[in-house]
Amino acid sequence: MTDPDTLQPVHEPRLWSDERWTARVIKNEDDDGWAVSMTLHGEAEPALVGPWTMGRDKKNPKPLDVSAFNTLVKTASEVLRRHEQQLHAQLNKSVAVTVQGRRLRVALSIVPDDEGATATLSATDDLGEELARVPVPPTFRLTTASATAWAEGDFERPR
């Protein structure tokens, strides 16, 4: 019996897929050349779109093959990984401050949500023990000055 969620591999000159990715050679709308798109299964938009090589006849695209597909998977996976790292960095910030001779790490974590993002401000000491955790607006700006003021104010919820 076949699992309907299991995708069958496709190995065609302009369409190549495995259980996670689909490569599709498409006409480049900007010129006479060709492009290739790499889409992760389940996603609406491609993770990567790039130029594709012309075939020997200089009219049609070079056919996809296992080597090209594997290279495209590696490149598209790296694009997704960088995007995830960038998003993580935008949503999670931290600064180190010294207050009353104590070294503290103050962190802001934002959780995106279609209904409305939430954010948490937390402080840990140099041993990693959490000293405080409070909800803040997702628009809160974490800076060295705001972190120091929060710690000096006995970790009361910033207004």
Side-chain angles (χ1 to χ4, degrees), residues 3-128:
D3 181 354
D5 293 333
T6 303
L7 297 170
Q8 295 298 317
V10 176
H11 300 137
E12 297 174 6
R14 293 189 191 177
L15 180 66
W16 199 283
S17 70
D18 64 9
E19 65 276 355
R20 293 195 66 222
W21 290 96
T22 296
R24 186 178 314 274
V25 176
I26 54 178
K27 189 77 174 128
N28 188 339
E29 296 172 8
D30 296 335
D31 64 24
D32 292 335
W34 294 89
V36 64
S37 69
M38 287 296 292
T39 306
L40 189 61
H41 293 184
E43 295 294 322
E45 296 292 321
L48 173 73
V49 176
W52 188 244
T53 308
M54 293 287 242
R56 290 182 186 213
D57 65 3
K58 304 296 182 205
K59 291 180 190 172
N60 294 305
K62 177 181 163 190
L64 287 164
D65 61 26
V66 68
S67 176
F69 181 75
N70 288 339
T71 300
L72 289 164
V73 166
K74 183 177 176 182
T75 304
S77 296
E78 181 66 18
V79 167
L80 288 182
R81 189 181 69 77
R82 286 186 192 150
H83 177 72
E84 288 167 359
Q85 287 176 331
Q86 180 183 13
L87 182 60
H88 180 80
Q90 288 173 340
L91 299 175
N92 297 279
K93 299 184 183 313
S94 69
V95 295
V97 296
T98 303
V99 176
Q100 299 173 350
R102 290 178 72 187
R103 193 89 174 129
L104 308 175
R105 173 145 310 277
V106 177
L108 174 67
S109 289
I110 301 171
V111 178
D113 188 323
D114 292 339
E115 302 293 317
T118 59
T120 304
L121 191 61
S122 62
T124 55
D125 64 15
D126 55 1
L127 297 176

